[in-house]
Amino acid sequence: MIQTTARRSPSALLISRMRDRSPGFAASLLGGAVAAGLGLGSFAVLVMMFWVSSPYPDSGPGGALHTAAALWLLAHGVELIRTDTLSGAPMPVGLTPLLLLAVPLWLVYRAARDAIDASAEPDGPPPVGARTAWTGVVLGYLGVGAAATLYCSGGELRPQWAWVTVCLPLVAASAAGAGVWTAYGRPSGPVPSVPAVLPGPLRRLVSGTDARARLGAAVRAAGAATAVLVGGGALLVGVSLVWHGEPARASFLQLTEGWTGRFAVLLLGVALVPNAAVWAASYALGPGFLLGTGHLVDPLASHPAPLLPPFPLLAAVPEPGAGTPQNWAVCVVPAMAGMTAGWFVARAAVRQASGEPARARWSAGRTAGVVLLTALVCAAALALLAELAGGPMGVAALARLGPLWWQTGGAAGAWTLVFALPVALTTRAWRLRRRRHSGGIPAQGTETGARTGAKGGAAQPTAAATAAAASATRETPEAGEPEEAGVVAATAQDAGKADEVPATAAGGDAPGGAAATPDAGAGTGAGAGRFRRRGPGRGAAEGGTSAQTAGATGADEEEPYEVLPAADPFPTTYPSPFPASFTEPSPGGRHDDLTRASRWAALREAAGAPEDGVGTVTRPESGPEPEPGAGPRPDRRPDAAG
């Protein structure tokens, strides 16, 4: 029989591999190009809408599209040159609306995250490599950006190529890197390599076994402080606009008359609100901002501003002159930001799980180091925002508008360090002190501990209970029965609720001539016995004998115990060469008279004799009649009957 193997053709194998293979670089390249196209398209639609609705268009559709491409580049931070001026000299335009910057950042971030192409199915294709996806998205985006730069270079707003080569790749690379990092689950691999490029003092702050935890805590605290600063600045802008409501309304109506122009001014004002918030934050920090070269506005004093075009946001600038207590009150914003950062650091410094007491995660010195790192991160964030929020709007007096990045960053770091350090250390100490006062565990021996031990299982017996359980139990024997003497040893394991307690009892032959034998496994001793719990309604002990046991100390037993008879290891009668008359009876107990009277009454009733003693009672032949007052005689063995 010949076996044949079906082989796939090379072409079919290649097609299958191409079908199963992830798109990879080509898809990433296409994703970056699509992201750039979407950004350009959104700006083009907005500009074309205003151009169509404008009653006095200055140029055709080509000019509107050139303006849209220039605004798209301006949103990346690229500085433009305006050629159409009254003087004929080119004027720089470098003030970037921060709200426009959010559009390309978001589009590139989404493109890079989607380029990973991670399949949710177990047998799906593997995700695209991080380097491949990042490279493809960045190159695709830069390709469209280069084409847009070439297109708008012949318009009225021309980009500067030096700024294009710096700002456009920086925005695309940073946003794409964030998207790829997020798509891979935010791994911590690059974090240990960060301290290698830092200076010595900064490297010591982020070194150690928990470097990633401290760096993450510092970033979160700095992010919270930055949010408080920017949010407080936005609140200051809103309050100032309300305070200067009439000048703001007049400037808004003065710029244009048609509703299309006013709508455009309104959109431009909304796009510049984040810039105004950063300006106000720098004003609250102390350095203030510039309204042109040499015109500083800060809480202490406000220099007269140069002649500026009317704009609603500029109406919120404080009046020229020395600062007043109302201007100084803005210092509450950076103070609140510093305290917020300190609270975040203190919360990270004390580890507290649900249902467990708080524990110190870092020492006081390590916590102070995290606060210092938080101040540095906050200073870097505010310096970057200050640089992005400002820029030139012309030459001479308009060469610089907005805060200075190095002054704003330094002031933010100083305010954060001054207010965050005491708050962090105080909050950390308070959380640990609260843990020490409220996290106590009840000691053993208390009422709670005793109850817990009683409910939990086997409790350790006390000395009194052990002594009472080991005390001897003696009962007066009846006539014809052996005397029980000995020691009953019992160890109570659960306050008298154990089922079996070993014991040793003294006794003779069982009544009826049958010797009582101990239960199997009760022990190796001759007199080993056991306690048996008396059930409800149970009568006397088996075999006609009963024993009274010593009660437990401190509490009455719920269920009494009875003693089963066992062989006596020390019998009172034994074979002897001497006559039986020499065997002395054991001394009687306390109830001898009562026991004797009861037995004689039972014998008379069994014989049918009257109660007055008239009648005949048959006595045993062996042995003399017991004398009055003497104790009961023990049973005599047949071989010792004399």
Side-chain angles (χ1 to χ4, degrees), residues 215-241:
L215 184 59
V219 170
R220 288 190 295 271
T226 303
V228 172
L229 282 173
V230 176
L235 180 62
L236 292 178
V237 171
V239 172
S240 183
L241 282 176

Side-chain angles (χ1 to χ4, degrees), residues 478-482 484 507-516 541-546 565-566 599 635:
E478 299 179 358
E481 294 182 356
E484 296 180 359
D509 296 338
E542 297 179 2
T545 61
S546 61
R599 179 171 289 277
D635 293 343

